[in-house]
Amino acid sequence: MTNVVLITGATSGFGQAAAYRFAKAGWSVIITGRRLERLQKLAQELGEFGPVHYVQLDVRDATAVAKAIESLPEAFQPIHSLINNAGLALSPLSAQDVALEDWHTMIDTNVTGLVNVTHYVLPQLLKADKGASIINVGSIAGQWPYPGSHVYGASKAFVKQFSYNLRCDLLGTGIRVTDLAPGIAETEFTLVRTKGDQAASDKLYQGTTALSADDIAEQMFYIATLPAHICINRVEVMPTRQAWSAFAIDRD
Ligand code: NDP
Ligand code: 8X3
C-alpha cells in the first residue's frame, strides 16, 4: 500500500512543488486548491508518476472540507500525511492603512482554514500506519515582527502554537506535527500580497537568492519520511542571504 499525502494550496508555489516531490517518490497525492483549471492540469501531469486525486476546495468553507474528506476514494484513504500549506498575506501596508476585509481574509484562510482541514483529516491520520504527520506551513513572520506583517505574522504565530499544542494532545497516537517556517521564498506569494503588482514582486526577489518552492518541498518530504520515532517540532529556514535587522527607533 502506498502512502497518501493531502496537500492544501497545491495550485502554486510550495504546494505544487510538494505535489511533484511526493508523487515522484511514489506517494499517492491528493491535491486541493480553489483554481480548478490548475488542479486539472497538475493532476494530469502528476498522473505520470502515480495515483492523483484532486478536489477543488476553499479551506475557509468547513462544510466543503468535510465533504471533500468524506468523499475520498478508498484508494486515497487513510491519509498518512497532511500538509496544511494553503495561505496568504495581504496588504504589506501599515496596520492603520489596511482594509479590515484583508485582515479577515488572512484569519479565515491561515487560521480557520488550517483548523478546518486539520479537524476533518485527523480521524484519517489516526487510522494511518506509523509515521503519520501533519506539516503546518508557518513562517518566520510568526516568530519575528516586521512592518507590514500585522495580521499575517499573527496568523502564523497561531500556526506555530497550534502545532505545539497538537503535539501535546496527539502524544501516544504516533502522529507527528511540525511547524515549518520558511523565510523569503519566490512563489506567487508577493503577487498575491500586493494584489497583482508584478513589478513589486519582481523587485522583492531581485538581486538576491530567495528560497525556491522546491527547497521547501524538499523540507516537507524530509520531515514526512523521517523514521516514525522522530518528530521535528519546528523548522525555521531562511535563505543564506536573509537575516534579522536592527531595532527601529523613532527619533525627533
Ligand atoms: P502561493 O501564492 O504561490 O501559493 C498559495 C497557495 O494557497 C495557492 O495554491 C492557493 O491556491 C492556496 N490558497 C490560498 N487561499 C486559499 C483558500 N482560501 N483555499 C484553498 N487554497 C488557498 O504562495 P506560497 O506557495 O509561497 O505559500 C504557501 C504557504 O507558504 C502559505 O501558507 C504562505 O503563507 C507560506 N509562506 C510563504 C513564504 C514565501 O515567502 N513565499 C514564506 C513563509 C511562508 P488557490 O488560489 O488556487 O486557492
Ligand atoms: C512570508 C515570510 O519574510 O517574506 O511568510 O514575509 S516573509
Side-chain angles (χ1 to χ4, degrees), residues 14-244:
F14 301 162
Q16 181 174 296
Y20 276 105
R21 183 64 184 89
F22 283 80
K24 284 182 179 176
W27 286 53
S28 297
V29 179
I30 304 166
I31 51 172
T32 70
R34 292 168 300 176
R35 286 169 288 182
L36 183 60
E37 270 183 33
R38 287 195 183 204
L39 283 175
Q40 287 169 332
K41 185 166 175 286
L42 183 61
Q44 198 174 20
E45 288 165 8
L46 295 175
E48 181 190 327
F49 306 108
V52 188
H53 176 68
Y54 69 86
V55 189
Q56 185 180 27
L57 182 64
D58 186 329
V59 294
R60 294 172 294 181
D61 182 345
T63 309
V65 174
K67 207 169 140 213
I69 304 305
E70 268 165 32
S71 51
L72 280 178
E74 277 292 313
F76 290 86
Q77 298 187 47
I79 294 165
H80 189 265
S81 286
L82 164 63
I83 302 186
N84 271 320
N85 165 76
L88 79 175
L90 289 172
S91 299
L93 306 167
S94 295
Q96 54 273 34
D97 298 321
V98 179
L100 179 59
E101 193 190 349
D102 287 345
W103 277 358
H104 284 167
T105 302
M106 288 187 276
I107 295 167
D108 292 348
T109 310
N110 302 353
V111 176
T112 309
L114 184 138
V115 163
N116 288 341
V117 177
T118 304
H119 175 82
Y120 286 109
V121 173
L122 265 174
Q124 288 275 329
L125 296 168
L126 287 165
K127 281 188 249 163
D129 290 340
K130 276 165 72 169
S133 57
I134 301 174
I135 300 173
N136 291 326
V137 180
S139 168
I140 57 167
Q143 177 80 8
W144 312 106
Y146 64 85
S149 179
H150 39 82
V151 162
Y152 177 67
S155 74
K156 294 301 188 177
F158 173 90
V159 172
K160 178 177 67 172
Q161 198 62 29
F162 183 55
S163 303
Y164 291 173
N165 290 344
L166 274 176
R167 285 273 291 119
C168 297
D169 290 348
L170 294 174
L171 186 69
T173 66
I175 302 174
R176 290 97 59 91
V177 188
T178 303
D179 171 40
L180 172 56
I184 184 173
E186 189 165 359
T187 61
E188 293 178 18
F189 178 79
T190 304
L191 202 57
V192 172
R193 188 176 217 172
T194 59
K195 301 189 177 166
D197 188 341
Q198 186 66 57
S201 176
D202 292 346
K203 193 171 163 214
L204 181 70
Y205 304 117
Q206 203 178 355
T208 189
T209 314
L211 297 169
S212 70
D214 286 339
D215 293 333
I216 298 303
E218 199 56 44
Q219 298 284 327
M220 291 167 172
F221 188 74
Y222 172 74
I223 293 163
T225 55
L226 278 166
H229 68 285
I230 304 174
C231 176
I232 297 194
N233 296 331
R234 184 165 187 270
V235 179
E236 184 174 295
V237 50
M238 286 184 191
T240 311
R241 298 183 75 184
Q242 180 177 32
W244 307 271

